[in-house]
PDB file of all heavy atoms in Angstrom:
ATOM      1  N   MET A   1     -24.578  40.430 -33.576  1.00  0.00           N
ATOM      2  CA  MET A   1     -24.105  41.782 -33.262  1.00  0.00           C
ATOM      3  C   MET A   1     -25.200  42.629 -32.611  1.00  0.00           C
ATOM      4  O   MET A   1     -24.956  43.781 -32.261  1.00  0.00           O
ATOM      5  CB  MET A   1     -23.630  42.470 -34.550  1.00  0.00           C
ATOM      6  CG  MET A   1     -22.399  41.843 -35.194  1.00  0.00           C
ATOM      7  SD  MET A   1     -22.184  42.361 -36.930  1.00  0.00           S
ATOM      8  CE  MET A   1     -22.093  44.138 -36.773  1.00  0.00           C
ATOM      9  N   ASP A   2     -26.405  42.052 -32.468  1.00  0.00           N
ATOM     10  CA  ASP A   2     -27.550  42.746 -31.875  1.00  0.00           C
ATOM     11  C   ASP A   2     -27.938  43.979 -32.695  1.00  0.00           C
ATOM     12  O   ASP A   2     -28.286  45.032 -32.136  1.00  0.00           O
ATOM     13  CB  ASP A   2     -27.245  43.147 -30.436  1.00  0.00           C
ATOM     14  CG  ASP A   2     -28.528  43.427 -29.639  1.00  0.00           C
ATOM     15  OD1 ASP A   2     -29.579  42.857 -30.007  1.00  0.00           O
ATOM     16  OD2 ASP A   2     -28.478  44.214 -28.672  1.00  0.00           O
ATOM     17  N   ILE A   3     -27.898  43.821 -34.035  1.00  0.00           N
ATOM     18  CA  ILE A   3     -28.311  44.916 -34.924  1.00  0.00           C
ATOM     19  C   ILE A   3     -29.835  44.973 -34.983  1.00  0.00           C
ATOM     20  O   ILE A   3     -30.506  43.952 -35.102  1.00  0.00           O
ATOM     21  CB  ILE A   3     -27.746  44.690 -36.353  1.00  0.00           C
ATOM     22  CG1 ILE A   3     -26.214  44.703 -36.333  1.00  0.00           C
ATOM     23  CG2 ILE A   3     -28.286  45.735 -37.321  1.00  0.00           C
ATOM     24  CD1 ILE A   3     -25.603  46.023 -35.931  1.00  0.00           C
ATOM     25  N   ASP A   4     -30.384  46.160 -34.891  1.00  0.00           N
ATOM     26  CA  ASP A   4     -31.827  46.378 -35.020  1.00  0.00           C
ATOM     27  C   ASP A   4     -32.150  46.310 -36.518  1.00  0.00           C
ATOM     28  O   ASP A   4     -32.070  47.310 -37.237  1.00  0.00           O
ATOM     29  CB  ASP A   4     -32.201  47.740 -34.440  1.00  0.00           C
ATOM     30  CG  ASP A   4     -33.709  48.002 -34.465  1.00  0.00           C
ATOM     31  OD1 ASP A   4     -34.426  47.279 -35.188  1.00  0.00           O
ATOM     32  OD2 ASP A   4     -34.151  48.939 -33.781  1.00  0.00           O
ATOM     33  N   ARG A   5     -32.535  45.122 -36.990  1.00  0.00           N
ATOM     34  CA  ARG A   5     -32.727  44.928 -38.430  1.00  0.00           C
ATOM     35  C   ARG A   5     -33.867  45.759 -39.010  1.00  0.00           C
ATOM     36  O   ARG A   5     -33.728  46.317 -40.106  1.00  0.00           O
ATOM     37  CB  ARG A   5     -32.888  43.445 -38.750  1.00  0.00           C
ATOM     38  CG  ARG A   5     -31.564  42.681 -38.607  1.00  0.00           C
ATOM     39  CD  ARG A   5     -31.574  41.435 -39.449  1.00  0.00           C
ATOM     40  NE  ARG A   5     -32.132  40.287 -38.771  1.00  0.00           N
ATOM     41  CZ  ARG A   5     -32.951  39.404 -39.316  1.00  0.00           C
ATOM     42  NH1 ARG A   5     -33.387  39.561 -40.542  1.00  0.00           N
ATOM     43  NH2 ARG A   5     -33.382  38.367 -38.634  1.00  0.00           N
ATOM     44  N   PRO A   6     -35.022  45.883 -38.336  1.00  0.00           N
ATOM     45  CA  PRO A   6     -36.063  46.776 -38.876  1.00  0.00           C
ATOM     46  C   PRO A   6     -35.580  48.218 -39.019  1.00  0.00           C
ATOM     47  O   PRO A   6     -35.878  48.894 -40.002  1.00  0.00           O
ATOM     48  CB  PRO A   6     -37.187  46.658 -37.842  1.00  0.00           C
ATOM     49  CG  PRO A   6     -37.020  45.283 -37.283  1.00  0.00           C
ATOM     50  CD  PRO A   6     -35.532  45.084 -37.197  1.00  0.00           C
ATOM     51  N   ARG A   7     -34.823  48.679 -38.029  1.00  0.00           N
ATOM     52  CA  ARG A   7     -34.277  50.033 -38.101  1.00  0.00           C
ATOM     53  C   ARG A   7     -33.287  50.165 -39.263  1.00  0.00           C
ATOM     54  O   ARG A   7     -33.289  51.164 -39.996  1.00  0.00           O
ATOM     55  CB  ARG A   7     -33.554  50.331 -36.779  1.00  0.00           C
ATOM     56  CG  ARG A   7     -32.867  51.683 -36.677  1.00  0.00           C
ATOM     57  CD  ARG A   7     -33.858  52.781 -36.434  1.00  0.00           C
ATOM     58  NE  ARG A   7     -34.139  53.562 -37.632  1.00  0.00           N
ATOM     59  CZ  ARG A   7     -35.071  54.475 -37.698  1.00  0.00           C
ATOM     60  NH1 ARG A   7     -35.831  54.737 -36.667  1.00  0.00           N
ATOM     61  NH2 ARG A   7     -35.266  55.147 -38.812  1.00  0.00           N
ATOM     62  N   LEU A   8     -32.446  49.138 -39.453  1.00  0.00           N
ATOM     63  CA  LEU A   8     -31.453  49.141 -40.530  1.00  0.00           C
ATOM     64  C   LEU A   8     -32.142  49.186 -41.890  1.00  0.00           C
ATOM     65  O   LEU A   8     -31.738  49.952 -42.775  1.00  0.00           O
ATOM     66  CB  LEU A   8     -30.563  47.900 -40.422  1.00  0.00           C
ATOM     67  CG  LEU A   8     -29.558  47.678 -41.561  1.00  0.00           C
ATOM     68  CD1 LEU A   8     -28.555  48.825 -41.620  1.00  0.00           C
ATOM     69  CD2 LEU A   8     -28.836  46.332 -41.368  1.00  0.00           C
ATOM     70  N   ALA A   9     -33.189  48.350 -42.077  1.00  0.00           N
ATOM     71  CA  ALA A   9     -33.905  48.328 -43.358  1.00  0.00           C
ATOM     72  C   ALA A   9     -34.522  49.692 -43.657  1.00  0.00           C
ATOM     73  O   ALA A   9     -34.449  50.196 -44.784  1.00  0.00           O
ATOM     74  CB  ALA A   9     -34.980  47.247 -43.335  1.00  0.00           C
ATOM     75  N   LYS A  10     -35.131  50.297 -42.625  1.00  0.00           N
ATOM     76  CA  LYS A  10     -35.745  51.609 -42.825  1.00  0.00           C
ATOM     77  C   LYS A  10     -34.700  52.675 -43.146  1.00  0.00           C
ATOM     78  O   LYS A  10     -34.898  53.506 -44.037  1.00  0.00           O
ATOM     79  CB  LYS A  10     -36.536  52.008 -41.576  1.00  0.00           C
ATOM     80  CG  LYS A  10     -37.302  53.318 -41.748  1.00  0.00           C
ATOM     81  CD  LYS A  10     -38.190  53.615 -40.540  1.00  0.00           C
ATOM     82  CE  LYS A  10     -38.994  54.898 -40.755  1.00  0.00           C
ATOM     83  NZ  LYS A  10     -39.870  55.211 -39.614  1.00  0.00           N
ATOM     84  N   ASP A  11     -33.582  52.632 -42.414  1.00  0.00           N
ATOM     85  CA  ASP A  11     -32.505  53.600 -42.667  1.00  0.00           C
ATOM     86  C   ASP A  11     -32.001  53.486 -44.105  1.00  0.00           C
ATOM     87  O   ASP A  11     -31.836  54.495 -44.802  1.00  0.00           O
ATOM     88  CB  ASP A  11     -31.347  53.377 -41.698  1.00  0.00           C
ATOM     89  CG  ASP A  11     -31.647  53.868 -40.289  1.00  0.00           C
ATOM     90  OD1 ASP A  11     -32.655  54.580 -40.112  1.00  0.00           O
ATOM     91  OD2 ASP A  11     -30.874  53.536 -39.368  1.00  0.00           O
ATOM     92  N   LEU A  12     -31.742  52.251 -44.543  1.00  0.00           N
ATOM     93  CA  LEU A  12     -31.233  52.050 -45.901  1.00  0.00           C
ATOM     94  C   LEU A  12     -32.233  52.524 -46.942  1.00  0.00           C
ATOM     95  O   LEU A  12     -31.862  53.156 -47.940  1.00  0.00           O
ATOM     96  CB  LEU A  12     -30.912  50.565 -46.128  1.00  0.00           C
ATOM     97  CG  LEU A  12     -29.539  50.090 -45.679  1.00  0.00           C
ATOM     98  CD1 LEU A  12     -29.450  48.573 -45.764  1.00  0.00           C
ATOM     99  CD2 LEU A  12     -28.440  50.732 -46.524  1.00  0.00           C
ATOM    100  N   HIS A  13     -33.500  52.196 -46.717  1.00  0.00           N
ATOM    101  CA  HIS A  13     -34.544  52.612 -47.652  1.00  0.00           C
ATOM    102  C   HIS A  13     -34.592  54.139 -47.753  1.00  0.00           C
ATOM    103  O   HIS A  13     -34.640  54.712 -48.844  1.00  0.00           O
ATOM    104  CB  HIS A  13     -35.888  52.058 -47.187  1.00  0.00           C
ATOM    105  CG  HIS A  13     -36.969  52.176 -48.213  1.00  0.00           C
ATOM    106  ND1 HIS A  13     -38.238  51.669 -48.026  1.00  0.00           N
ATOM    107  CD2 HIS A  13     -37.005  52.780 -49.440  1.00  0.00           C
ATOM    108  CE1 HIS A  13     -38.979  51.922 -49.081  1.00  0.00           C
ATOM    109  NE2 HIS A  13     -38.261  52.604 -49.948  1.00  0.00           N
ATOM    110  N   GLN A  14     -34.546  54.802 -46.613  1.00  0.00           N
ATOM    111  CA  GLN A  14     -34.581  56.266 -46.613  1.00  0.00           C
ATOM    112  C   GLN A  14     -33.336  56.858 -47.281  1.00  0.00           C
ATOM    113  O   GLN A  14     -33.423  57.871 -47.983  1.00  0.00           O
ATOM    114  CB  GLN A  14     -34.702  56.778 -45.181  1.00  0.00           C
ATOM    115  CG  GLN A  14     -36.068  56.511 -44.554  1.00  0.00           C
ATOM    116  CD  GLN A  14     -36.144  56.956 -43.097  1.00  0.00           C
ATOM    117  OE1 GLN A  14     -35.127  57.044 -42.415  1.00  0.00           O
ATOM    118  NE2 GLN A  14     -37.348  57.220 -42.626  1.00  0.00           N
ATOM    119  N   VAL A  15     -32.193  56.212 -47.081  1.00  0.00           N
ATOM    120  CA  VAL A  15     -30.951  56.678 -47.700  1.00  0.00           C
ATOM    121  C   VAL A  15     -31.063  56.627 -49.224  1.00  0.00           C
ATOM    122  O   VAL A  15     -30.717  57.596 -49.933  1.00  0.00           O
ATOM    123  CB  VAL A  15     -29.749  55.843 -47.209  1.00  0.00           C
ATOM    124  CG1 VAL A  15     -28.541  56.023 -48.131  1.00  0.00           C
ATOM    125  CG2 VAL A  15     -29.384  56.231 -45.786  1.00  0.00           C
ATOM    126  N   TYR A  16     -31.558  55.511 -49.743  1.00  0.00           N
ATOM    127  CA  TYR A  16     -31.660  55.379 -51.200  1.00  0.00           C
ATOM    128  C   TYR A  16     -32.751  56.274 -51.784  1.00  0.00           C
ATOM    129  O   TYR A  16     -32.592  56.821 -52.886  1.00  0.00           O
ATOM    130  CB  TYR A  16     -31.864  53.908 -51.594  1.00  0.00           C
ATOM    131  CG  TYR A  16     -30.542  53.181 -51.680  1.00  0.00           C
ATOM    132  CD1 TYR A  16     -30.044  52.457 -50.600  1.00  0.00           C
ATOM    133  CD2 TYR A  16     -29.766  53.263 -52.824  1.00  0.00           C
ATOM    134  CE1 TYR A  16     -28.820  51.825 -50.666  1.00  0.00           C
ATOM    135  CE2 TYR A  16     -28.535  52.636 -52.905  1.00  0.00           C
ATOM    136  CZ  TYR A  16     -28.065  51.917 -51.824  1.00  0.00           C
ATOM    137  OH  TYR A  16     -26.835  51.301 -51.903  1.00  0.00           O
ATOM    138  N   LEU A  17     -33.848  56.457 -51.065  1.00  0.00           N
ATOM    139  CA  LEU A  17     -34.870  57.387 -51.525  1.00  0.00           C
ATOM    140  C   LEU A  17     -34.319  58.816 -51.555  1.00  0.00           C
ATOM    141  O   LEU A  17     -34.604  59.584 -52.482  1.00  0.00           O
ATOM    142  CB  LEU A  17     -36.106  57.313 -50.628  1.00  0.00           C
ATOM    143  CG  LEU A  17     -37.021  56.104 -50.814  1.00  0.00           C
ATOM    144  CD1 LEU A  17     -38.092  56.077 -49.728  1.00  0.00           C
ATOM    145  CD2 LEU A  17     -37.671  56.105 -52.189  1.00  0.00           C
ATOM    146  N   LYS A  18     -33.550  59.161 -50.540  1.00  0.00           N
ATOM    147  CA  LYS A  18     -32.951  60.500 -50.501  1.00  0.00           C
ATOM    148  C   LYS A  18     -32.029  60.700 -51.696  1.00  0.00           C
ATOM    149  O   LYS A  18     -32.050  61.750 -52.354  1.00  0.00           O
ATOM    150  CB  LYS A  18     -32.182  60.706 -49.198  1.00  0.00           C
ATOM    151  CG  LYS A  18     -31.524  62.085 -49.078  1.00  0.00           C
ATOM    152  CD  LYS A  18     -30.833  62.240 -47.734  1.00  0.00           C
ATOM    153  CE  LYS A  18     -30.220  63.629 -47.572  1.00  0.00           C
ATOM    154  NZ  LYS A  18     -29.083  63.870 -48.477  1.00  0.00           N
ATOM    155  N   MET A  19     -31.218  59.691 -51.998  1.00  0.00           N
ATOM    156  CA  MET A  19     -30.308  59.803 -53.137  1.00  0.00           C
ATOM    157  C   MET A  19     -31.081  60.005 -54.435  1.00  0.00           C
ATOM    158  O   MET A  19     -30.749  60.874 -55.249  1.00  0.00           O
ATOM    159  CB  MET A  19     -29.419  58.557 -53.239  1.00  0.00           C
ATOM    160  CG  MET A  19     -28.290  58.517 -52.222  1.00  0.00           C
ATOM    161  SD  MET A  19     -27.057  57.230 -52.563  1.00  0.00           S
ATOM    162  CE  MET A  19     -27.856  55.793 -51.861  1.00  0.00           C
ATOM    163  N   CYS A  20     -32.116  59.178 -54.642  1.00  0.00           N
ATOM    164  CA  CYS A  20     -32.843  59.196 -55.917  1.00  0.00           C
ATOM    165  C   CYS A  20     -33.806  60.368 -56.045  1.00  0.00           C
ATOM    166  O   CYS A  20     -33.916  60.971 -57.124  1.00  0.00           O
ATOM    167  CB  CYS A  20     -33.604  57.880 -56.103  1.00  0.00           C
ATOM    168  SG  CYS A  20     -32.540  56.435 -56.356  1.00  0.00           S
ATOM    169  N   LEU A  21     -34.517  60.703 -54.953  1.00  0.00           N
ATOM    170  CA  LEU A  21     -35.579  61.695 -55.040  1.00  0.00           C
ATOM    171  C   LEU A  21     -35.183  63.101 -54.598  1.00  0.00           C
ATOM    172  O   LEU A  21     -35.811  64.071 -55.017  1.00  0.00           O
ATOM    173  CB  LEU A  21     -36.786  61.248 -54.205  1.00  0.00           C
ATOM    174  CG  LEU A  21     -37.477  59.952 -54.654  1.00  0.00           C
ATOM    175  CD1 LEU A  21     -38.645  59.647 -53.733  1.00  0.00           C
ATOM    176  CD2 LEU A  21     -37.962  60.064 -56.095  1.00  0.00           C
ATOM    177  N   VAL A  22     -34.161  63.199 -53.766  1.00  0.00           N
ATOM    178  CA  VAL A  22     -33.807  64.505 -53.202  1.00  0.00           C
ATOM    179  C   VAL A  22     -32.467  65.005 -53.736  1.00  0.00           C
ATOM    180  O   VAL A  22     -32.373  66.097 -54.309  1.00  0.00           O
ATOM    181  CB  VAL A  22     -33.766  64.445 -51.660  1.00  0.00           C
ATOM    182  CG1 VAL A  22     -33.441  65.822 -51.084  1.00  0.00           C
ATOM    183  CG2 VAL A  22     -35.090  63.932 -51.112  1.00  0.00           C
ATOM    184  N   ASP A  23     -31.418  64.189 -53.565  1.00  0.00           N
ATOM    185  CA  ASP A  23     -30.082  64.626 -53.960  1.00  0.00           C
ATOM    186  C   ASP A  23     -29.887  64.603 -55.471  1.00  0.00           C
ATOM    187  O   ASP A  23     -29.121  65.405 -56.015  1.00  0.00           O
ATOM    188  CB  ASP A  23     -29.016  63.754 -53.300  1.00  0.00           C
ATOM    189  CG  ASP A  23     -29.079  63.800 -51.779  1.00  0.00           C
ATOM    190  OD1 ASP A  23     -29.550  64.828 -51.257  1.00  0.00           O
ATOM    191  OD2 ASP A  23     -28.667  62.823 -51.137  1.00  0.00           O
ATOM    192  N   GLY A  24     -30.522  63.641 -56.135  1.00  0.00           N
ATOM    193  CA  GLY A  24     -30.371  63.535 -57.586  1.00  0.00           C
ATOM    194  C   GLY A  24     -29.084  62.877 -58.027  1.00  0.00           C
ATOM    195  O   GLY A  24     -28.714  62.941 -59.202  1.00  0.00           O
ATOM    196  N   VAL A  25     -28.380  62.216 -57.122  1.00  0.00           N
ATOM    197  CA  VAL A  25     -27.188  61.443 -57.457  1.00  0.00           C
ATOM    198  C   VAL A  25     -27.183  60.221 -56.554  1.00  0.00           C
ATOM    199  O   VAL A  25     -27.391  60.330 -55.347  1.00  0.00           O
ATOM    200  CB  VAL A  25     -25.892  62.273 -57.287  1.00  0.00           C
ATOM    201  CG1 VAL A  25     -25.773  62.849 -55.884  1.00  0.00           C
ATOM    202  CG2 VAL A  25     -24.659  61.454 -57.633  1.00  0.00           C
ATOM    203  N   PHE A  26     -26.977  59.033 -57.126  1.00  0.00           N
ATOM    204  CA  PHE A  26     -27.207  57.818 -56.353  1.00  0.00           C
ATOM    205  C   PHE A  26     -26.160  56.734 -56.588  1.00  0.00           C
ATOM    206  O   PHE A  26     -25.507  56.679 -57.632  1.00  0.00           O
ATOM    207  CB  PHE A  26     -28.606  57.253 -56.680  1.00  0.00           C
ATOM    208  CG  PHE A  26     -28.791  56.899 -58.145  1.00  0.00           C
ATOM    209  CD1 PHE A  26     -28.529  55.620 -58.601  1.00  0.00           C
ATOM    210  CD2 PHE A  26     -29.235  57.853 -59.047  1.00  0.00           C
ATOM    211  CE1 PHE A  26     -28.694  55.303 -59.947  1.00  0.00           C
ATOM    212  CE2 PHE A  26     -29.400  57.544 -60.391  1.00  0.00           C
ATOM    213  CZ  PHE A  26     -29.127  56.262 -60.837  1.00  0.00           C
ATOM    214  N   HIS A  27     -26.007  55.890 -55.587  1.00  0.00           N
ATOM    215  CA  HIS A  27     -25.182  54.684 -55.640  1.00  0.00           C
ATOM    216  C   HIS A  27     -25.919  53.681 -56.518  1.00  0.00           C
ATOM    217  O   HIS A  27     -27.015  53.248 -56.197  1.00  0.00           O
ATOM    218  CB  HIS A  27     -25.007  54.149 -54.216  1.00  0.00           C
ATOM    219  CG  HIS A  27     -24.225  52.882 -54.111  1.00  0.00           C
ATOM    220  ND1 HIS A  27     -24.752  51.734 -53.542  1.00  0.00           N
ATOM    221  CD2 HIS A  27     -22.967  52.576 -54.484  1.00  0.00           C
ATOM    222  CE1 HIS A  27     -23.841  50.779 -53.565  1.00  0.00           C
ATOM    223  NE2 HIS A  27     -22.749  51.272 -54.128  1.00  0.00           N
ATOM    224  N   GLY A  28     -25.332  53.305 -57.666  1.00  0.00           N
ATOM    225  CA  GLY A  28     -26.076  52.557 -58.667  1.00  0.00           C
ATOM    226  C   GLY A  28     -26.000  51.052 -58.594  1.00  0.00           C
ATOM    227  O   GLY A  28     -26.578  50.380 -59.440  1.00  0.00           O
ATOM    228  N   ASP A  29     -25.307  50.494 -57.582  1.00  0.00           N
ATOM    229  CA  ASP A  29     -25.158  49.037 -57.542  1.00  0.00           C
ATOM    230  C   ASP A  29     -25.302  48.521 -56.114  1.00  0.00           C
ATOM    231  O   ASP A  29     -24.341  48.024 -55.515  1.00  0.00           O
ATOM    232  CB  ASP A  29     -23.788  48.652 -58.114  1.00  0.00           C
ATOM    233  CG  ASP A  29     -23.702  47.183 -58.486  1.00  0.00           C
ATOM    234  OD1 ASP A  29     -24.761  46.525 -58.578  1.00  0.00           O
ATOM    235  OD2 ASP A  29     -22.582  46.685 -58.699  1.00  0.00           O
ATOM    236  N   PRO A  30     -26.520  48.611 -55.540  1.00  0.00           N
ATOM    237  CA  PRO A  30     -26.698  48.251 -54.125  1.00  0.00           C
ATOM    238  C   PRO A  30     -26.912  46.757 -53.873  1.00  0.00           C
ATOM    239  O   PRO A  30     -27.717  46.387 -53.038  1.00  0.00           O
ATOM    240  CB  PRO A  30     -27.950  49.048 -53.760  1.00  0.00           C
ATOM    241  CG  PRO A  30     -28.762  49.036 -55.008  1.00  0.00           C
ATOM    242  CD  PRO A  30     -27.769  49.137 -56.135  1.00  0.00           C
ATOM    243  N   HIS A  31     -26.204  45.893 -54.622  1.00  0.00           N
ATOM    244  CA  HIS A  31     -26.386  44.467 -54.329  1.00  0.00           C
ATOM    245  C   HIS A  31     -25.694  44.138 -53.007  1.00  0.00           C
ATOM    246  O   HIS A  31     -24.839  44.905 -52.523  1.00  0.00           O
ATOM    247  CB  HIS A  31     -25.903  43.595 -55.492  1.00  0.00           C
ATOM    248  CG  HIS A  31     -24.426  43.548 -55.687  1.00  0.00           C
ATOM    249  ND1 HIS A  31     -23.580  42.895 -54.826  1.00  0.00           N
ATOM    250  CD2 HIS A  31     -23.631  44.046 -56.670  1.00  0.00           C
ATOM    251  CE1 HIS A  31     -22.333  42.988 -55.258  1.00  0.00           C
ATOM    252  NE2 HIS A  31     -22.340  43.690 -56.367  1.00  0.00           N
ATOM    253  N   PRO A  32     -26.033  43.003 -52.372  1.00  0.00           N
ATOM    254  CA  PRO A  32     -25.544  42.715 -51.012  1.00  0.00           C
ATOM    255  C   PRO A  32     -24.031  42.787 -50.840  1.00  0.00           C
ATOM    256  O   PRO A  32     -23.550  43.149 -49.768  1.00  0.00           O
ATOM    257  CB  PRO A  32     -26.057  41.291 -50.767  1.00  0.00           C
ATOM    258  CG  PRO A  32     -27.305  41.217 -51.575  1.00  0.00           C
ATOM    259  CD  PRO A  32     -27.019  41.999 -52.823  1.00  0.00           C
ATOM    260  N   GLY A  33     -23.273  42.481 -51.897  1.00  0.00           N
ATOM    261  CA  GLY A  33     -21.820  42.554 -51.777  1.00  0.00           C
ATOM    262  C   GLY A  33     -21.286  43.957 -51.649  1.00  0.00           C
ATOM    263  O   GLY A  33     -20.144  44.167 -51.235  1.00  0.00           O
ATOM    264  N   ASN A  34     -22.100  44.947 -51.986  1.00  0.00           N
ATOM    265  CA  ASN A  34     -21.664  46.342 -51.929  1.00  0.00           C
ATOM    266  C   ASN A  34     -22.260  47.119 -50.764  1.00  0.00           C
ATOM    267  O   ASN A  34     -22.136  48.349 -50.709  1.00  0.00           O
ATOM    268  CB  ASN A  34     -22.022  47.066 -53.240  1.00  0.00           C
ATOM    269  CG  ASN A  34     -21.135  46.637 -54.391  1.00  0.00           C
ATOM    270  OD1 ASN A  34     -20.043  46.127 -54.187  1.00  0.00           O
ATOM    271  ND2 ASN A  34     -21.612  46.827 -55.605  1.00  0.00           N
ATOM    272  N   VAL A  35     -22.929  46.417 -49.865  1.00  0.00           N
ATOM    273  CA  VAL A  35     -23.493  47.061 -48.674  1.00  0.00           C
ATOM    274  C   VAL A  35     -23.109  46.237 -47.451  1.00  0.00           C
ATOM    275  O   VAL A  35     -23.363  45.032 -47.410  1.00  0.00           O
ATOM    276  CB  VAL A  35     -25.030  47.173 -48.753  1.00  0.00           C
ATOM    277  CG1 VAL A  35     -25.570  47.939 -47.549  1.00  0.00           C
ATOM    278  CG2 VAL A  35     -25.468  47.844 -50.061  1.00  0.00           C
ATOM    279  N   ALA A  36     -22.485  46.876 -46.481  1.00  0.00           N
ATOM    280  CA  ALA A  36     -22.074  46.186 -45.252  1.00  0.00           C
ATOM    281  C   ALA A  36     -22.627  46.943 -44.052  1.00  0.00           C
ATOM    282  O   ALA A  36     -23.205  48.032 -44.183  1.00  0.00           O
ATOM    283  CB  ALA A  36     -20.558  46.089 -45.178  1.00  0.00           C
ATOM    284  N   VAL A  37     -22.444  46.353 -42.876  1.00  0.00           N
ATOM    285  CA  VAL A  37     -22.984  46.950 -41.648  1.00  0.00           C
ATOM    286  C   VAL A  37     -21.907  46.949 -40.571  1.00  0.00           C
ATOM    287  O   VAL A  37     -21.234  45.935 -40.350  1.00  0.00           O
ATOM    288  CB  VAL A  37     -24.211  46.157 -41.139  1.00  0.00           C
ATOM    289  CG1 VAL A  37     -24.823  46.847 -39.925  1.00  0.00           C
ATOM    290  CG2 VAL A  37     -25.246  45.984 -42.247  1.00  0.00           C
ATOM    291  N   GLN A  38     -21.735  48.080 -39.908  1.00  0.00           N
ATOM    292  CA  GLN A  38     -20.779  48.183 -38.808  1.00  0.00           C
ATOM    293  C   GLN A  38     -21.462  47.810 -37.493  1.00  0.00           C
ATOM    294  O   GLN A  38     -22.698  47.772 -37.413  1.00  0.00           O
ATOM    295  CB  GLN A  38     -20.209  49.598 -38.757  1.00  0.00           C
ATOM    296  CG  GLN A  38     -19.374  49.939 -39.992  1.00  0.00           C
ATOM    297  CD  GLN A  38     -18.716  51.299 -39.866  1.00  0.00           C
ATOM    298  OE1 GLN A  38     -19.388  52.315 -39.718  1.00  0.00           O
ATOM    299  NE2 GLN A  38     -17.392  51.324 -39.928  1.00  0.00           N
ATOM    300  N   PRO A  39     -20.679  47.526 -36.447  1.00  0.00           N
ATOM    301  CA  PRO A  39     -21.250  47.077 -35.166  1.00  0.00           C
ATOM    302  C   PRO A  39     -22.303  48.012 -34.578  1.00  0.00           C
ATOM    303  O   PRO A  39     -23.210  47.568 -33.874  1.00  0.00           O
ATOM    304  CB  PRO A  39     -20.027  46.973 -34.255  1.00  0.00           C
ATOM    305  CG  PRO A  39     -18.896  46.662 -35.184  1.00  0.00           C
ATOM    306  CD  PRO A  39     -19.200  47.457 -36.428  1.00  0.00           C
ATOM    307  N   ASP A  40     -22.211  49.307 -34.875  1.00  0.00           N
ATOM    308  CA  ASP A  40     -23.197  50.254 -34.321  1.00  0.00           C
ATOM    309  C   ASP A  40     -24.438  50.383 -35.200  1.00  0.00           C
ATOM    310  O   ASP A  40     -25.313  51.218 -34.922  1.00  0.00           O
ATOM    311  CB  ASP A  40     -22.559  51.627 -34.103  1.00  0.00           C
ATOM    312  CG  ASP A  40     -22.109  52.280 -35.405  1.00  0.00           C
ATOM    313  OD1 ASP A  40     -22.226  51.639 -36.468  1.00  0.00           O
ATOM    314  OD2 ASP A  40     -21.637  53.432 -35.353  1.00  0.00           O
ATOM    315  N   GLY A  41     -24.536  49.567 -36.272  1.00  0.00           N
ATOM    316  CA  GLY A  41     -25.701  49.596 -37.145  1.00  0.00           C
ATOM    317  C   GLY A  41     -25.573  50.522 -38.330  1.00  0.00           C
ATOM    318  O   GLY A  41     -26.492  50.610 -39.156  1.00  0.00           O
ATOM    319  N   THR A  42     -24.447  51.209 -38.455  1.00  0.00           N
ATOM    320  CA  THR A  42     -24.230  52.103 -39.596  1.00  0.00           C
ATOM    321  C   THR A  42     -24.001  51.276 -40.864  1.00  0.00           C
ATOM    322  O   THR A  42     -23.222  50.322 -40.863  1.00  0.00           O
ATOM    323  CB  THR A  42     -23.012  53.011 -39.358  1.00  0.00           C
ATOM    324  OG1 THR A  42     -23.214  53.772 -38.169  1.00  0.00           O
ATOM    325  CG2 THR A  42     -22.801  53.962 -40.535  1.00  0.00           C
TER     326      THR A  42
END
């Protein structure tokens, strides 16, 4: 799909840090079956 994997890893890491450190509410089960990727890298 030509996904920019380094960009995806960084985005996901920042998303989870934001949830835990900033928002104070987080997705508690981020195993691979609960995370998918759309064609645009979202």
Side-chain angles (χ1 to χ4, degrees):
M1 294 163 58
D2 200 26
I3 297 296
D4 183 344
R5 288 204 272 138
R7 178 77 257 172
L8 174 63
K10 185 174 183 180
D11 285 348
L12 275 171
H13 192 176
Q14 290 177 336
V15 163
Y16 276 95
L17 284 172
K18 180 177 182 292
M19 284 192 278
C20 292
L21 297 180
V22 182
D23 300 333
V25 56
F26 60 92
H27 178 238
D29 197 15
H31 71 71
N34 287 339
V35 184
V37 184
Q38 295 185 300
D40 64 356
T42 302

